[in-house]
Amino acid sequence: MDGMEEKKEKKISKKKIGMICGACTLGVAVLVVGVFLLLPILFPESSDVGAAQAKVLYQLGILPEYDGVYLAKETKPARGEEIVLRFLGSGNETQAALFYRYLELDQAPDLAFPKDQETLTETESYDLLLRALGYESTPETALAKAKEVGFGIFREVRDSGQALTNGDFALILYEALLVRPPNAANYPTYRILGSLNSHFKEALLENGLYDAIPEEYAPLFNAGIYKPDSFARLPVTGSANRVEWTATYLNVAGTYAADYVAKLLADGWTREGTYEVEGDPKATIEVIYKPLSAGSSQELGLVVKLYENDTVEWALFLN
């Protein structure tokens, strides 16, 4: 009897051990599955694409966030529309109408997407921004038009076929600051936004996006795309009354530079000389000057250096 009892106890023990092992295996499996389910929450995907630009746009009151997790997320159409309106309103979407009044447009474009649309493509984002800036654009023409007006500074103008992320949208939106609206009488977008909101202008200055060259001395060079951080105000060593202002502009096509100089010559400036500079690319330098004012001993000098690749270096001197 004792032997039989012992055998029964061993069987029961093995059964218990098996049940415990099964429960442990199931528990481990549940734990592993739980960890995998929690991974996106505990360690969300992050990205550094557009990080520097997104931080500036956040400081300007345009983007709601700029950390890596935000940049990796897909841009929602409704949020994209809201961001563009905040962009046009110099950080306040309710002020976007002022932008269109400045452009003298009778009616603001419809920037809304279908309510059931969940993501944006790069093509749709270019189309959205082009229409927001006053251009005629469709999804079929958006990429070609974006290249034509100056997008493509920080990323190639293309459509990856994937949903647009907040990081790529930040890059495209940042480029839109530097693009000119279609009306040639208007300044580039960053100047329009700066004129609508003085606080916004200060933020642009702090981030190297605004070339504060005194317009009372010379008409601003208003063509192409202003190169970020190219503006400088340089006091001349050894003189309190000598100052130099410089800025660089990209994609200056056509005869704008020559017409700009001709306009100044017709307005009382004098040409000192025109010089050809060898190099790759070659460049033409126009040097002109005029007295600061009637009876003044100071003189304004202006140098416009036009490269064959349509880049212009502009420099104003007060001597």
Side-chain angles (χ1 to χ4, degrees), residues 149-208:
V149 305
F151 284 96
I153 302 170
F154 300 104
R155 67 187 305 279
E156 181 186 356
V157 176
R158 58 176 173 76
D159 197 318
S160 66
Q162 304 295 320
L164 182 75
T165 65
N166 289 326
D168 280 325
F169 190 45
L171 286 175
I172 296 171
L173 192 65
Y174 194 90
E175 290 182 351
L177 273 173
L178 308 172
V179 171
R180 290 170 55 84
N183 185 343
N186 288 310
Y187 290 125
T189 306
Y190 68 91
R191 285 197 167 277
I192 297 174
L193 300 182
S195 69
L196 296 179
N197 184 327
S198 59
H199 173 71
F200 191 83
K201 178 180 177 180
E202 291 172 5
L204 291 173
L205 278 166
E206 290 172 3
N207 288 285

Side-chain angles (χ1 to χ4, degrees), residues 101-141:
R101 284 202 283 273
Y102 189 95
L103 293 184
E104 298 180 354
L105 293 181
D106 295 331
Q107 186 174 355
D110 180 10
L111 305 179
F113 291 93
K115 290 185 178 180
D116 59 348
Q117 185 170 338
E118 296 183 356
T119 60
L120 281 177
T121 65
E122 284 140 315
T123 296
E124 287 171 329
S125 69
Y126 282 117
D127 181 47
L128 170 66
L129 281 167
L130 286 166
R131 289 186 291 107
L133 293 174
Y135 285 100
E136 290 186 9
S137 174
T138 67
E140 292 74 26
T141 63

Side-chain angles (χ1 to χ4, degrees), residues 25-102:
T25 302
L26 179 62
V28 170
V30 170
L31 181 61
V32 170
V33 172
V35 168
F36 276 106
L37 291 174
L38 286 172
L39 276 176
I41 299 174
L42 297 174
F43 304 100
E45 185 179 352
S46 183
S47 173
D48 60 357
V49 173
Q53 291 76 18
K55 184 175 181 180
V56 173
L57 293 169
Y58 172 80
Q59 292 170 342
L60 297 175
I62 296 170
L63 291 185
E65 300 174 68
Y66 67 93
D67 61 272
V69 174
Y70 170 78
L71 297 177
K73 291 179 180 177
E74 296 175 350
T75 304
K76 301 302 179 185
R79 178 51 66 89
E81 177 193 354
E82 176 189 323
I83 286 171
V84 170
L85 289 174
R86 292 181 68 83
F87 170 76
L88 299 177
S90 302
N92 183 344
E93 61 186 295
T94 63
Q95 301 297 312
L98 292 174
F99 181 84
Y100 292 107
R101 284 202 283 273
Y102 189 95

Side-chain angles (χ1 to χ4, degrees), residues 5 14 20 32-33 63 73 87 100 121 124 143 145 153-154 157 174 205 211 223 233-234 250 252 255 277 287 303 307:
E5 290 292 334
K14 287 181 179 180
I20 292 170
V32 170
V33 172
L63 291 185
K73 291 179 180 177
F87 170 76
Y100 292 107
T121 65
E124 287 171 329
L143 294 182
K145 192 68 176 179
I153 302 170
F154 300 104
V157 176
Y174 194 90
L205 278 166
D211 53 346
R233 181 183 184 279
L234 308 170
L250 311 174
V252 182
T255 63
V277 180
V287 181
V303 176
Y307 292 87

Side-chain angles (χ1 to χ4, degrees), residues 200-247:
F200 191 83
K201 178 180 177 180
E202 291 172 5
L204 291 173
L205 278 166
E206 290 172 3
N207 288 285
L209 289 168
Y210 199 97
D211 53 346
I213 299 168
E215 294 183 62
E216 64 270 23
Y217 290 164
L220 287 171
F221 193 91
N222 185 28
I225 301 168
Y226 165 66
K227 182 180 178 182
D229 290 323
S230 67
F231 169 70
R233 181 183 184 279
L234 308 170
V236 178
T237 304
S239 174
N241 298 320
R242 298 179 64 196
V243 183
E244 176 186 351
W245 295 268
T246 62

Side-chain angles (χ1 to χ4, degrees), residues 261 265 271-277 283-288 304:
V261 172
L265 292 174
R271 177 183 270 120
E272 179 182 291
T274 301
Y275 308 94
E276 300 294 327
V277 180
T284 300
I285 298 178
E286 292 276 13
V287 181
I288 58 178
V304 178

